[in-house]
Amino acid sequence: MATTYKKTGFEGDEARIHKIRITLTSRNVKNLEKVCGDLIKGAKDKQLKVKGPVRMPTKTLKITTRKSPCGEGTNTWDKFEMRIHKRLIDLHSPAETVKQITSIAIEPGVHVEVTIQDVN
């Protein structure tokens, strides 16, 4: 008689490799680059496959407004602009390790968005 053995253990989402995209946006470049460096350093310490940071084009939001509150007088204008910088980091790792990597202290004003996809 031939005996068959079943593989015991749990084979779930933790063992799967996911493609994780981390999107960082900020108005302050120094804080953004510091967070990018910390994330990449943490990922390389865990020996993960890292791509990035990919520097996306800077969005410039401009507003031109009159200086005079009542509209009288000479036509003088104020010009304001806000620059929004964006970085992308791609990781190939289990979802469990991403929680450990992203648990670093994130600078104020830096927004982090994490999207997870399965790799087939």
Side-chain angles (χ1 to χ4, degrees), residues 32-81:
L32 185 65
E33 289 294 334
K34 183 173 185 281
V35 172
C36 282
D38 291 345
L39 282 173
I40 290 173
K41 182 181 172 192
K44 287 187 177 181
D45 288 345
K46 298 207 182 283
Q47 298 172 346
L48 299 176
K49 187 176 176 184
V50 180
K51 290 185 181 179
V54 178
R55 289 162 178 85
M56 301 303 287
T58 302
K59 290 184 181 176
T60 305
L61 308 175
K62 295 181 180 179
I63 294 177
T64 304
T65 183
R66 287 282 304 267
K67 280 188 181 179
S68 173
C70 63
E72 297 285 326
T74 59
N75 293 337
T76 54
W77 299 85
D78 270 334
K79 295 178 184 177
F80 299 100
E81 90 176 18

Side-chain angles (χ1 to χ4, degrees), residues 53-113:
V54 178
R55 289 162 178 85
M56 301 303 287
T58 302
K59 290 184 181 176
T60 305
L61 308 175
K62 295 181 180 179
I63 294 177
T64 304
T65 183
R66 287 282 304 267
K67 280 188 181 179
S68 173
C70 63
E72 297 285 326
T74 59
N75 293 337
T76 54
W77 299 85
D78 270 334
K79 295 178 184 177
F80 299 100
E81 90 176 18
M82 179 171 56
R83 295 180 181 185
I84 299 174
H85 306 275
K86 188 174 186 180
R87 304 286 186 266
L88 296 178
I89 300 173
D90 287 331
L91 303 172
H92 292 279
S93 69
E96 186 77 16
T97 56
V98 173
K99 292 177 186 174
Q100 296 170 359
I101 293 168
T102 57
S103 65
I104 63 167
I106 295 174
E107 296 290 321
V110 178
H111 301 283
V112 179
E113 181 181 329

